[in-house]
Amino acid sequence: MVEIKTDAALDAMREAGRVVAQALEAARGAAAVGVTLHELDEAARTVLREAGADSPFLGYRPQFAPTPFPAVICTSVNDAIVHGIPDGYRLRDGDLLSVDCGAVVDGWAGDAAVSFTVGTPRPADERLIEATRRALEAGIAAAVVGARLGDVGHAIGSVGRTAGYGIPADFGGHGIGRRMHEDPPVPNEGRPGRGFPLRHGLVIAIEPMFLAGGSDAYVTDDDGWTLRTANGGRAAHSEHTVAITEDGPRALTLP
Ligand code: MG
Ligand code: MG
């Protein structure tokens, strides 16, 4: 069931989104060659703790997962697409890192992700990351009252396909509110004019994830969480929580 939020709820979700943005900035600021993924998780935990926010990631166990998620961020390195678990891996020069973070403040959730390179960037990685950012912007721009979810997916998917990237079919955005994952699902490809109609008060997480090399195929690690490209190519992921309003789309997880 899709829950339409009141304007007061949208303002409350903005507060959660602010904390998410701060936690992502802290993780990104801590990321450097030689730093462990655990340390990035610690940086994000500190922000959540100081803001009095809970983590919707920590202890989360969706149907596909064999174990509860053990951290407040996902850290997906190089060929990892999403859901990577922070561990003792030390970042290396040229790594492509995607960090995904959530926060719950006063019962309302926010969810956002960012990809960036550590140390010396590879041009191909910069293009891949930039494409997910452009797709996110296009998806947000399409999230207007009167449009449909297919328009959002079409906007995202067109950017990725035009650039020659793969798009995994089974993972994408979602409604968000009191729970991190709510209806409706927000696929990263779609048919214009089709799907759930967008109206004031609907809040969705929009999250393009693109795979270099053009294949859509992915595999799941033995940990049951980490999704990886099947061909070993790199992946990037960008996400914002976005409210559809009569005044236009409102990205709630901007800094
Ligand atoms: Mg996320
Ligand atoms: Mg999400």
Side-chain angles (χ1 to χ4, degrees), residues 100 111 174 181 205 207 239:
D100 196 337
D111 183 13
H174 47 89
H181 290 144
E207 47 181 313
E239 178 179 23

Side-chain angles (χ1 to χ4, degrees), residues 199-223:
R199 44 187 280 214
H200 181 90
L202 176 67
V203 185
I204 54 175
I206 299 176
E207 47 181 313
M209 49 194 86
F210 294 158
L211 319 186
S215 167
D216 301 349
Y218 64 88
V219 293
T220 307
D221 274 6
D222 289 342
D223 65 19

